[in-house]
Amino acid sequence: MQARLLLEDGTLFTGLGFGAEGQSSGEVVFNTGITGYQEVLSDPSYCGQIVTMTYPLVGNYGITRDDFETVAPFIHGFVVRRHEPIPSNWRAQYTLDGLLKEHGIIGISDIDTRMLTRILRHHGTMKGILTTGAERVEELQERLSATPLMRDQVARTSTKSIFTSPGDRERIVLVDYGAKSGILRELTKRGCDVVVVPQDTTAEQIRKLNPDGIQLSNGPGDPKDVPHAVKMIQELLGEYPIFGICLGHQLFALACGADTSKLKFGHRGGNHPVKELATNRCYITSQNHGYTVLEESVAGTKLEVTHINNNDRTIEGLKHTELPAFSVQYHPEAAPGPLDSSYLFDQFLEMIRTTKQNNPQKPRQAQLAASLRGELQYAQK
Amino acid sequence: MPRNNKLKKILVIGSGPIVIGQAAEFDYAGTQACQALKEEGYEVVLINSNPATIMTDTNMADKVYIEPITLDFVTQIIRQERPDGLLPTLGGQTGLNMAVELARAGVLERENVQLLGTQLTAIEKAEDRDLFRDLMRELEQPVPESVIVTTIEDAVDFSNEIGYPIIVRPAYTLGGTGGGICANETELREIVASGIRYSPISQCLIEKSIAGMKEVEYEVMRDANDNCIVVCNMENFDPVGVHTGDSIVVAPSQTLSDREYQMLRSASLKIIRALNIEGGCNVQFALDPFSFQYYVIEVNPRVSRSSALASKATGYPIAKMAAKIAVGYTLDEIVNPVTGQTYAMFEPTLDYIVSKIPRWPFDKFINANRKLGTQMKATGEVMAIGRTFEESIHKAVRSLEIGAHRIHLKDASELDEDTLRLRLQKPDDERMFLVAEAFRRGYQLQDIQDLTNIDWWFLDKIEGIVAFEAELRGASVLSKELLYQAKRKGFSDRSIAEIRREGNQSTYTNEFDIRAYRAELELKPVYKMVDTCAAEFEATTPYYYSTYEVENEVTESDKQKVLVLGSGPIRIGQGIEFDYSTVHAVWAIQKAGYEAVIINNNPETVSTDFSTSDRLYFEPLFFEDVMNVIEQEKPIGVIVQFGGQTAINLAAPLTKAGVRILGSSLESIDTAEDRKKFEALLRELNVMQPQGSTVTSVDEAVAVAQGLGYPVLVRPSYVLGGRAMEIVYSDEELLTYMVQAVKINPEHPVLIDRYMLGKEAEVDAICDGDTVLIPGIMEHVERAGVHSGDSIAVYPPQSISRELQQKMVDITIKIARGLNVIGLVNIQFVIFQDEVYVIEVNPRSSRTVPFLSKVTNIPMANLATQAILGTKLADLGYVEGLWPEDEFVSVKVPVFSFAKLRRVDPTLTPEMKSTGEVMGRDQQYAKALYKGLVGAGMRIPPTGSIIATVADKDKPEAIEILRGFYELGYNIIATGGTATALEEAGLRVKTVNKLSEGSPNILDLIRDGQAHFVVNTLTKGKTPERDGFRIRREAVENGVVCMTSLDTVRALLNMLQTINFSSRPMPVLAQK
């Protein structure tokens, strides 16, 4: 079955279709990871995007129930040089083709993916349309220009209702902007009592959950498309320790007065070097973002840059100079990618413990009584 | 962290001679390291005994010592040079072992030399089995159940307890020498005994076999700031059980999910951190195919063969980075030389598949045991790059030059079912081809997996290739689409044509028709760049591979280009020497103002370092692939004379395709190789050669041999490194040879020459069409009958008269002119009864070019290239004739890898057997020879014991030589006949039993280490059961020097006589 990919600039790639049939458009991006295609295509941060894998053979080890980053993928298309139909791995339960079919995702293979990558590198990411049909190119072009890029990906990918993943240690409210399962996995592994809340949860609602800390998740798209999240963070900043990842990092930066902008073709892959400025140490990190916090916008805020990308020097980590809050642009939960930065979760929990020690709270019953008394006094007035 | 300014002068130790397990990859690593250190402004002192290397060129280091890598010599150089630091991690196991020895002997401390890169404790922890296991336990890294033993009994006890199969790994040996897998106690006893002998500390690891698991390797780097990266991971096609150097390997891993990949990555980083390595490190894992269970197999705390492969596979120059890290730089501050805009602190990502296939010497050693196990047997390897596995592996297969251009062996269809199954089960060098054969016979994938344990994924690929071949075979019309599919799967035109012939198709049954058809369809490959980053960043490295896709990334250039063909994989007869010449040719081309384009497929070499040439095409040296590059680059011509027989063989098809060969023409090459034309030329020039004839049938052979009179020298026409060349002494031997070694027919004639037992000499010369410059003459120590590559060569000649030398010079000039040589020519002579005969002429770069260049200080490959490009030698100040002799004497000593190749007879014959060479250089011949022999690994005690068993024909000569040793105080031990003869000559001899005379016999003596040298000359007949063979093998396996040519023994004696003081009684006054 023939499939085609048309880019905004008019470049047409003709290859073979796999997965679902039909037509679909989105922003075309590339990921340079060699392994981890299952995690990539199930990462909600790719919502609405057509993802190209630069490694040419995809599907080699199949799909396993264990490696999903979300239940149903949100990508709008999957582009590979060669789709390997027969997987070989002891955990393989499904094939890549089967997964894409099941979720209605169009795949295209046998195109010059390196050429596509070079075009994206050169011109920056752009819109594209995938089809397995026989439409005329002009028709596709029209369709492509008529379809705007999505702006509501966060709402689409976030959980609609609150749910918990019980644990017997710190209570963490994980705000889901399109969270990867990996974040929940890392918190749960550390015994945290995690409450996952929808992206539009307000500060007041979060307070009611009595968290020990707030984890802002990764997520798709432009942080400026989620202004309510910025407001929530501003309200809770200082009240609870906060740790932001990826989109969560950008939202945290916006909340503190910094600004963000779009990168030419983003960082997507598992080989990005990040330097921790305090120690001058470097880590290889997993990344997936198209936006970045602007360096010049940090000046004058209460933010301090803690990490930078060792290649393009963009901001990779921030912390609040006065309040217990920090964030990173990359993915300490890995999946896919190197596990080198998972220590950041320990750092977050450590921050929660220190904050508690430094601000000894009254016993809960005293607190409760005090507030009840306050309400009582008000009533008596 | 910035550069270490406390260091001023750094000593780099090379890896010595090429042996199995340690090849050209360390020239590549050492060269990179020296360049990196010089770039940083350090004074670099280099020691390496191998003259055939780029790293021992005097422009690579401030001071180059070509001296034996032994404690004495290195210590002397340290005293002389007083370096501040020592970089031991780039010279393979040899360099590392030397560093350990220097440290243990207290030399480093005493001379205040700092060990750079890897500390002694790390080396010990990684290399000492016990310490290693302790460390792994501490790091919670699983290792297979094992025990360290120093006796056979301990090994047996442990193995009987945990059960067979068992793996034996001797400590501190390279390429797994002396180790192996044992299925039972008998095998265990044998292998442990040899393992203990080969281990310098007499220690073996006895380990539960994890054969059958996936074998995965990680190349890791770390700097002083604890930054760590993985440069590359690789997966072996062959499961655990086959030495990784003998495995087909792909990069990156194909069947690991991200979970598995990251699990092993994290383990690698944990290990390199614990070892505190500052530089590169290689970690090998076994991964259970059915769970997350893994085992750490081995850690190499240094740059290795795998890191050379990883460097070429990714573009990331590991050795260069390791050198910079060793002097204090951190990864985040070193610029990635490939992109020029990013840093070395990142992990390369590939957008192609790399395949490596080892190159084994079994074509030359037909008696060798081809089974693959934990002891490495390959001499070299090829690498290929493609966008699919099929494309990549096909390119690798046709790079091998083993006669196969697809996964198909001509004779495989003749194998009976049982043999096929057995050979699938017990891996040998042809297993991948046999897997394909099994699919062709209709075996089910699962069957093959049960037999081989090869991962389903790889088997599926091969099954797919076989199925596609069937489609091609059956297609009456070769449609554009089908042809495109075939090219995308990496099939060559020749393969497609062959498959169509198999299917009795009427069209497109020869490769040239398909080529023309493709031209018509404009079905051409494009070239993609190897850029370390999958196109994420802009790169400018001119490092390309071909594939059938859309976008071509080769940038146009308006400069004129010259294409140089490399020499492919390292094999016996075509070694690193050819890479040396290739690299020099490239440099000379660049200096002459052209762009140098190179095609080669050997990942170990300097020539395939992308920074060597202006454009590197990592492609098979196969007509089609070479033509594609020529069509892409449109060079003014192609130079074939530096790439050994590989490149020479391409001269004919390229010329036929209208390509201009620069330098000596195809006609010159053909005249030298075609017996009839060559004879005619020599007759015309009035030059003598041994009488001989070309025969095309067995009957004719016998008649000719009888006419010439035995002994005669027989060999197939068009030889490489004397393949299948033998001296035969009778009709019977001749007939055996005809059956075993050659397939005689009119298309494959056999040459029969009169065998002249004389002194051999050889000459390399450069000719520009006018002037013939002869840098030097090399005299061979061993007489004719020993391949020139296996002889000890001496420059300048020590026992050839001026007159004869002049004769050789005159003949060389005549031949060079008569053959219209432009560039290099190598001529081999035999001197018989004061007359000079020409044995062989090769109008190309030879094995001796690097040696002779170094000892005469004439840049031969460079001058030859200039001559090829039109410069006249006279304009460069050179005159015709022999260059004035150097005042030093230099000796080139061959080095063998017999210990790694069971069942191979160590006797020196006309067939080349050595894998490498060392050089000894000093003011006197004896001293130079001593250095050469010691450098080659010979232990030479001032006195000791010699075991002699000599053929009757050699006895008179042997007695005289042995008398010399006797007078030096050596004990002579001999068997029956030889002992009697010696005693009759007045020597006191200890007689030892022959094999047939029961124990203790000569073998026991050798095994017990009672002999320092074994002298054994060949008795006729070559069946391995012969006593002589067993004696020689026993010597090799026990690390005892075995000499099979009396010339070698005499040279050793003369050397000892010169070097030792001699005590003689005072002459008795004459009584009158």
Side-chain angles (χ1 to χ4, degrees):
Chain A
M1 183 185 59
Q2 182 189 283
R4 287 173 298 161
L5 168 66
L6 178 71
L7 297 184
E8 223 174 343
D9 71 351
T11 316
L12 180 73
F13 292 90
T14 306
L16 298 175
F18 68 106
E21 293 177 32
Q23 198 192 67
S24 150
S25 60
E27 185 184 22
V28 187
V29 298
F30 65 87
N31 182 297
T32 61
I34 291 174
T35 53
Y37 54 82
Q38 180 177 353
E39 291 89 333
V40 167
L41 64 86
S42 64
D43 175 352
S45 293
Y46 287 103
C47 176
Q49 292 176 325
I50 295 173
V51 181
T52 307
M53 299 303 290
T54 61
Y55 185 67
L57 309 185
V58 182
N60 299 12
Y61 54 83
I63 299 286
T64 167
R65 55 156 214 204
D66 300 336
D67 292 351
F68 283 107
E69 282 305 305
T70 187
V71 181
F74 293 97
I75 58 167
H76 274 196
F78 203 48
V79 184
V80 300
R81 164 64 181 82
R82 191 185 147 96
H83 154 238
E84 293 289 342
I86 298 186
S88 169
N89 190 284
W90 61 285
R91 292 192 303 148
Q93 280 141 336
Y94 329 93
T95 64
L96 173 61
D97 182 55
L99 179 80
L100 296 190
K101 279 201 172 79
E102 192 187 326
H103 294 284
I105 298 163
I106 304 171
I108 180 171
S109 73
D110 288 83
I111 67 160
D112 190 338
T113 48
R114 183 166 162 95
M115 175 180 172
L116 173 60
T117 305
R118 280 164 52 95
I119 291 174
L120 297 177
R121 176 187 85 206
H122 201 72
H123 300 282
T125 50
M126 57 179 115
K127 280 197 296 182
I129 185 162
L130 255 179
T131 179
T132 56
E135 307 91 332
R136 286 182 304 114
V137 174
E138 297 75 37
E139 215 174 298
L140 291 172
Q141 233 148 10
E142 264 167 48
R143 188 65 176 271
L144 186 57
S145 40
T147 320
L149 283 179
M150 262 185 205
R151 308 214 63 153
D152 60 345
Q153 302 99 307
V154 168
R156 283 169 184 253
T157 53
S158 171
T159 178
K160 304 287 175 289
S161 55
I162 196 164
F163 66 93
T164 60
S165 170
D168 48 19
R169 299 191 62 176
E170 290 80 1
R171 163 163 284 201
I172 306 295
V173 164
L174 167 58
V175 191
D176 177 5
Y177 299 112
K180 284 166 68 188
S181 306
I183 297 178
L184 184 54
R185 200 181 302 132
E186 287 297 323
L187 293 171
T188 308
K189 201 159 84 186
R190 288 168 174 77
C192 295
D193 184 31
V194 187
V195 184
V196 185
V197 301
Q199 49 94 20
D200 52 1
T201 308
T202 62
E204 196 45 42
Q205 286 168 316
I206 290 175
R207 281 194 191 103
K208 289 223 168 98
L209 294 168
N210 259 307
D212 296 313
I214 298 171
Q215 172 86 60
L216 308 173
S217 86
N218 66 297
D222 185 343
K224 289 176 187 164
D225 291 341
V226 232
H228 50 271
V230 175
K231 183 163 171 283
M232 178 278 283
I233 297 164
Q234 280 166 340
E235 282 180 45
L236 295 181
L237 193 63
E239 205 169 318
Y240 306 102
I242 293 179
F243 176 25
I245 291 174
C246 199
L247 183 72
H249 154 83
Q250 295 160 2
L251 293 170
F252 167 64
L254 290 176
C256 294
D259 196 12
T260 58
S261 76
K262 194 167 185 182
L263 288 165
K264 190 173 177 190
F265 53 85
H267 294 163
R268 292 178 187 86
N271 65 345
H272 293 268
V274 165
K275 181 178 271 185
E276 187 175 51
L277 296 174
T279 57
N280 225 17
R281 279 266 313 259
C282 277
Y283 299 88
I284 298 295
T285 65
S286 175
Q287 302 206 357
N288 170 21
H289 60 107
Y291 291 81
T292 186
V293 176
L294 288 168
E295 197 191 342
E296 57 275 19
S297 75
V298 173
T301 67
K302 293 265 163 82
L303 291 174
E304 181 189 323
V305 177
T306 54
H307 297 78
I308 58 163
N309 186 301
N310 197 55
N311 281 336
D312 64 11
R313 307 275 145 181
T314 54
I315 292 176
E316 295 283 5
L318 290 167
K319 77 170 183 198
H320 199 284
T321 49
E322 292 162 4
L323 305 170
F326 72 107
S327 65
V328 289
Q329 181 62 74
Y330 49 97
H331 293 270
E333 78 282 6
L339 312 168
D340 305 9
S341 297
S342 64
Y343 72 93
L344 288 170
F345 290 101
D346 300 315
Q347 221 164 295
F348 178 42
L349 296 180
E350 194 49 46
M351 173 184 270
I352 290 172
R353 279 163 219 147
T354 327
T355 312
K356 268 192 185 165
Q357 270 167 18
N358 294 347
N359 309 296
Q361 286 177 336
K362 292 175 196 160
R364 280 182 195 257
Q365 62 269 43
Q367 229 180 326
L368 188 58
S371 76
L372 284 175
R373 266 198 299 277
E375 280 168 30
L376 223 58
Q377 279 165 8
Y378 180 78
Q380 281 170 349
K381 251 187 178 174
Chain B
M1 227 172 287
R3 178 184 186 278
N4 183 342
N5 290 323
K6 279 188 222 144
L7 299 170
K8 298 266 180 290
K9 196 191 246 189
I10 297 171
L11 178 69
V12 176
I13 304 182
S15 67
I18 306 286
V19 287
I20 289 175
Q22 202 162 268
E25 62 270 19
F26 297 109
D27 187 27
Y28 165 60
T31 301
Q32 278 207 337
C34 290
Q35 281 172 330
L37 295 177
K38 279 187 80 172
E39 216 172 270
E40 294 301 331
Y42 293 102
E43 191 181 342
V44 181
V45 178
L46 171 74
I47 173 164
N48 193 356
S49 54
N50 185 350
T53 49
I54 289 288
M55 73 186 298
T56 52
D57 271 351
T58 43
N59 60 339
M60 283 297 146
D62 295 280
K63 282 188 186 149
V64 174
Y65 288 91
I66 305 185
E67 299 283 351
I69 304 174
T70 61
L71 184 61
D72 293 346
F73 284 100
V74 179
T75 304
Q76 190 188 332
I77 290 163
I78 289 176
R79 287 212 184 102
Q80 214 167 303
E81 290 291 342
R82 299 165 209 278
D84 309 300
L86 166 65
L87 190 54
T89 48
L90 296 150
Q93 196 65 41
T94 303
L96 207 59
N97 287 354
M98 193 66 248
V100 171
E101 227 181 303
L102 286 165
R104 291 216 176 117
V107 177
L108 299 184
E109 202 184 350
R110 197 168 59 229
E111 304 297 328
N112 209 4
V113 184
Q114 188 190 339
L115 210 50
L116 305 175
T118 302
Q119 295 313 303
L120 188 64
T121 48
I123 301 174
E124 283 170 340
K125 274 182 192 165
E127 300 270 317
D128 183 284
R129 302 290 174 183
D130 232 350
L131 296 174
F132 178 70
R133 280 186 311 165
D134 289 347
L135 178 71
M136 289 305 113
R137 236 168 263 143
E138 201 180 294
L139 298 176
E140 294 176 336
Q141 293 300 320
V143 284
E145 268 182 272
S146 61
V147 67
I148 309 275
V149 301
T150 49
T151 69
I152 298 174
E153 289 318 311
D154 287 351
V156 171
D157 289 348
F158 172 80
S159 308
N160 288 342
E161 196 183 303
I162 70 156
Y164 294 87
I166 288 284
I167 296 187
V168 178
R169 299 175 192 277
Y172 289 97
T173 62
L174 50 100
T177 308
I181 299 183
C182 332
N184 52 51
E185 193 180 316
T186 321
E187 288 180 21
L188 181 79
R189 282 181 180 275
E190 188 192 325
I191 294 179
V192 172
S194 102
I196 288 174
R197 272 196 306 269
Y198 280 110
S199 167
I201 55 168
S202 302
Q203 196 188 75
C204 280
L205 179 80
I206 310 297
E207 187 178 273
K208 183 184 167 62
S209 171
I210 42 170
M213 288 194 174
K214 292 184 189 188
E215 188 163 348
V216 186
E217 279 183 73
Y218 280 71
E219 288 301 319
V220 206
M221 297 208 78
R222 178 181 172 275
D223 65 28
N225 206 15
D226 210 20
N227 295 322
C228 288
I229 58 157
V230 166
V231 174
C232 183
N233 92 327
M234 293 173 262
E235 179 172 0
N236 290 8
F237 173 92
D238 301 285
V240 175
V242 176
H243 189 281
T244 180
D246 273 350
S247 292
I248 296 171
V249 173
V250 296
S253 62
Q254 299 299 329
T255 68
L256 268 56
S257 67
D258 193 59
R259 283 270 287 276
E260 289 154 328
Y261 178 96
Q262 302 302 343
M263 172 179 80
L264 298 182
R265 179 186 175 278
S266 298
S268 311
L269 299 194
K270 204 169 177 181
I271 291 168
I272 194 174
R273 287 198 161 113
L275 288 172
N276 253 313
I277 290 167
E278 289 165 25
C281 170
N282 157 273
V283 187
Q284 294 167 22
F285 296 101
L287 176 64
D288 181 8
F290 305 107
S291 75
F292 284 119
Q293 176 67 53
Y294 69 89
Y295 296 102
V296 180
I297 306 176
E298 197 177 295
V299 173
N300 284 307
R302 57 174 168 87
V303 168
S304 64
R305 177 180 44 259
S306 297
S307 49
L309 181 64
S311 293
K312 299 295 165 66
T314 60
Y316 191 100
I318 294 176
K320 186 182 254 172
M321 299 299 137
K324 298 216 171 188
I325 288 171
V327 296
Y329 285 97
T330 53
L331 286 162
D332 55 305
E333 55 188 14
I334 308 172
V335 170
N336 173 1
V338 174
T339 63
Q341 50 172 340
T342 56
Y343 292 86
M345 179 72 208
F346 82 114
E347 299 194 346
T349 185
L350 314 188
D351 56 3
Y352 45 80
I353 297 90
V354 170
S355 306
K356 172 209 103 175
I357 308 182
R359 179 67 157 79
W360 290 279
F362 304 131
D363 53 336
K364 299 198 50 103
F365 297 138
I366 45 174
N367 285 328
N369 181 351
R370 306 178 87 117
K371 290 272 168 279
L372 303 179
T374 58
Q375 182 163 296
M376 184 172 164
K377 295 181 176 178
T379 53
E381 60 193 34
V382 297
M383 180 184 110
I385 310 175
R387 290 269 285 168
T388 59
F389 174 77
E390 292 87 345
E391 181 173 63
S392 173
I393 199 83
H394 269 134
K395 282 165 109 180
V397 166
R398 60 180 185 268
S399 298
L400 279 172
E401 295 175 65
I402 52 167
H405 41 85
R406 57 188 173 113
I407 312 178
H408 177 262
L409 284 185
K410 290 214 165 53
D411 302 334
S413 58
E414 287 159 26
L415 288 178
D416 63 71
E417 219 61 25
D418 290 346
T419 312
L420 179 63
R421 291 186 81 86
L422 191 73
R423 289 185 62 190
L424 286 172
Q425 223 167 359
K426 297 205 157 181
D428 60 36
D429 57 313
E430 295 178 336
R431 185 159 75 165
M432 181 175 68
F433 296 92
L434 298 180
V435 166
E437 173 62 21
F439 279 121
R440 287 190 187 100
R441 291 186 190 186
Y443 279 49
Q444 293 301 301
L445 197 155
Q446 190 59 58
D447 280 352
I448 300 178
Q449 219 224 331
D450 292 343
L451 289 167
T452 61
N453 279 323
I454 295 170
D455 194 279
W456 183 281
W457 193 85
F458 294 110
L459 295 177
D460 174 58
K461 294 284 155 224
I462 293 177
E463 187 177 28
I465 287 170
V466 169
F468 186 79
E469 285 183 353
E471 201 180 322
L472 266 181
R473 200 175 295 122
S476 53
V477 178
L478 183 62
S479 67
K480 180 181 178 181
E481 183 50 34
L482 189 62
L483 181 57
Y484 179 60
Q485 286 305 326
K487 297 315 281 183
R488 295 260 277 188
K489 289 181 191 298
F491 283 94
S492 65
D493 293 345
R494 193 176 298 168
S495 299
I496 297 169
E498 185 182 82
I499 293 163
R500 291 185 62 77
R501 284 200 300 277
E502 283 172 6
N504 292 318
Q505 299 300 340
S506 54
T507 53
Y508 303 115
T509 51
N510 89 57
E511 62 175 304
F512 301 101
D513 289 352
I514 296 176
R515 186 167 187 84
Y517 183 34
R518 284 201 295 109
E520 198 181 302
L521 298 172
E522 291 186 27
L523 192 52
K524 285 193 309 189
V526 296
Y527 293 92
K528 302 263 180 211
M529 197 186 271
V530 172
D531 62 5
T532 71
C533 60
E536 184 175 7
F537 303 101
E538 191 143 0
T540 49
T541 40
Y543 177 5
Y544 300 108
Y545 66 95
S546 69
T547 186
Y548 282 80
E549 292 204 45
V550 181
E551 189 186 36
N552 193 355
E553 295 177 26
V554 177
T555 46
E556 296 293 324
S557 135
D558 45 14
K559 263 175 129 181
Q560 288 200 314
K561 296 171 199 139
V562 175
L563 174 64
V564 183
L565 300 183
S567 56
I570 296 223
R571 63 209 99 157
I572 289 172
Q574 191 165 302
I576 188 175
E577 301 85 355
F578 295 89
D579 202 65
Y580 172 88
S581 298
T582 304
V583 170
H584 276 274
V586 163
W587 288 339
I589 289 166
Q590 290 172 326
K591 213 167 166 209
Y594 299 92
E595 271 192 10
V597 182
I598 187 162
I599 305 181
N600 202 359
N601 52 42
N602 183 345
E604 301 171 336
T605 57
V606 179
S607 69
T608 51
D609 182 339
F610 65 79
S611 57
T612 298
S613 56
D614 294 296
R615 279 145 196 261
L616 165 66
Y617 285 85
F618 214 104
E619 291 281 290
L621 287 157
F622 190 78
F623 172 71
E624 175 181 341
D625 303 276
V626 172
M627 276 310 289
N628 290 341
V629 172
I630 291 172
E631 281 167 13
Q632 170 69 44
E633 290 290 353
K634 301 181 184 65
I636 59 162
V638 179
I639 300 183
V640 297
Q641 60 176 272
F642 298 107
Q645 207 61 34
T646 300
I648 288 287
N649 289 346
L650 284 164
L654 290 180
T655 304
K656 211 171 145 194
V659 175
R660 187 173 154 217
I661 304 294
L662 299 177
S664 304
S665 66
L666 174 63
E667 205 191 328
S668 310
I669 297 167
D670 194 48
T671 307
E673 287 186 341
D674 183 292
R675 180 67 182 220
K676 286 216 172 77
K677 291 182 191 164
F678 185 58
E679 274 174 6
L681 175 75
L682 291 194
R683 223 175 297 127
E684 191 189 308
L685 298 174
N686 206 11
V687 171
M688 285 194 288
Q689 69 175 134
Q691 269 184 296
S693 194
T694 305
V695 298
T696 55
S697 74
V698 175
D699 290 346
E700 208 186 332
V702 175
V704 166
Q706 286 174 347
L708 291 170
Y710 288 103
V712 293
L713 193 65
V714 285
R715 62 187 147 138
S717 55
Y718 283 83
V719 290
L720 166 68
R723 189 165 71 186
M725 190 191 283
E726 264 184 42
I727 299 165
V728 296
Y729 291 82
S730 65
D731 285 353
E732 196 194 346
E733 279 182 44
L734 182 64
L735 292 173
T736 314
Y737 172 84
M738 287 294 173
V739 174
Q740 277 188 357
V742 290
K743 281 174 199 154
I744 191 168
N745 58 48
E747 271 164 45
H748 299 101
V750 167
L751 309 180
I752 301 188
D753 289 322
R754 185 171 160 214
Y755 169 54
M756 293 175 158
L757 188 78
K759 182 169 274 301
E760 279 199 61
E762 103 182 80
V763 153
D764 284 296
I766 307 154
C767 179
D768 60 5
D770 300 327
T771 311
V772 181
L773 171 66
I774 301 166
I777 299 173
M778 290 156 283
E779 175 186 343
H780 292 180
V781 165
E782 286 82 2
R783 270 165 284 192
V786 172
H787 189 279
S788 63
D790 287 351
S791 297
I792 296 173
V794 188
Y795 165 87
Q798 300 294 305
S799 67
I800 300 176
S801 69
R802 285 283 157 203
E803 203 186 336
L804 285 171
Q805 289 191 35
Q806 190 53 49
K807 267 190 188 170
M808 283 189 255
V809 169
D810 294 342
I811 293 173
T812 303
I813 293 171
K814 264 200 247 180
I815 291 179
R817 289 234 177 81
L819 208 53
N820 294 318
V821 167
I822 306 287
L824 285 164
V825 62
N826 167 271
I827 305 180
Q828 315 222 355
F829 299 99
V830 59
I831 300 164
F832 188 65
Q833 294 170 347
D834 260 354
E835 212 33 86
V836 175
Y837 296 82
V838 169
I839 315 177
E840 205 179 306
V841 173
N842 293 303
R844 56 162 170 84
S845 179
S846 77
R847 199 175 302 114
T848 41
V849 164
F851 170 74
L852 204 56
S853 297
K854 275 169 194 170
V855 301
T856 61
N857 207 16
I858 290 185
M860 296 170 63
N862 174 299
L863 290 186
T865 308
Q866 292 197 51
I868 289 166
L869 296 175
T871 306
K872 292 295 172 192
L873 291 171
D875 296 340
L876 299 169
Y878 292 98
V879 293
E880 180 143 291
L882 185 64
W883 187 251
E885 277 178 10
D886 187 55
E887 57 188 30
F888 268 62
V889 181
S890 301
V891 174
K892 179 172 90 82
V893 178
V895 176
F896 302 85
S897 302
F898 293 132
K900 311 223 162 55
L901 298 163
R902 299 227 164 139
R903 301 218 306 251
V904 170
D905 191 336
T907 303
L908 300 187
T909 64
E911 170 121 16
M912 184 164 163
K913 292 177 176 173
S914 61
T915 50
E917 68 199 43
V918 293
M919 182 169 116
R921 183 168 177 267
D922 214 304
Q923 281 162 316
Q924 293 157 12
Y925 171 48
K927 283 186 177 175
L929 182 63
Y930 177 82
K931 283 183 177 176
L933 295 175
V934 166
M938 204 185 258
R939 265 164 286 176
I940 306 176
T943 188
S945 298
I946 295 188
I947 295 186
T949 57
V950 182
D952 286 342
K953 64 174 166 48
D954 298 321
K955 279 191 177 127
E957 197 183 342
I959 288 169
E960 282 325 298
I961 299 171
L962 290 170
R963 187 192 301 281
F965 279 96
Y966 184 76
E967 282 168 0
L968 282 174
Y970 269 82
N971 295 320
I972 312 289
I973 305 168
T975 52
T978 311
T980 316
L982 287 167
E983 272 169 355
E984 277 167 13
L987 307 184
R988 243 194 307 162
V989 179
K990 182 179 166 194
T991 308
V992 62
N993 280 349
K994 284 185 181 168
L995 270 61
S996 54
E997 295 164 353
S999 278
N1001 60 31
I1002 184 165
L1003 296 189
D1004 299 307
L1005 221 61
I1006 296 171
R1007 217 172 285 141
D1008 294 347
Q1010 292 191 38
H1012 296 96
F1013 300 107
V1014 172
V1015 177
N1016 175 277
T1017 65
L1018 196 63
T1019 39
K1020 286 172 214 166
K1022 288 201 176 153
T1023 31
E1025 293 73 39
R1026 295 294 296 253
D1027 289 5
F1029 173 81
R1030 290 182 59 190
I1031 293 166
R1032 294 187 288 273
R1033 279 308 311 181
E1034 198 65 41
V1036 162
E1037 269 147 39
N1038 288 281
V1040 176
V1041 177
C1042 175
M1043 289 171 283
T1044 63
S1045 163
L1046 290 179
D1047 298 320
T1048 322
V1049 190
R1050 178 178 290 118
L1052 177 69
L1053 172 66
N1054 293 344
M1055 192 262 312
L1056 285 169
Q1057 284 172 334
T1058 313
I1059 284 178
N1060 287 348
F1061 292 105
S1062 47
S1063 304
R1064 291 245 172 97
M1066 295 306 291
V1068 179
L1069 284 176
Q1071 301 279 333
K1072 286 209 171 159

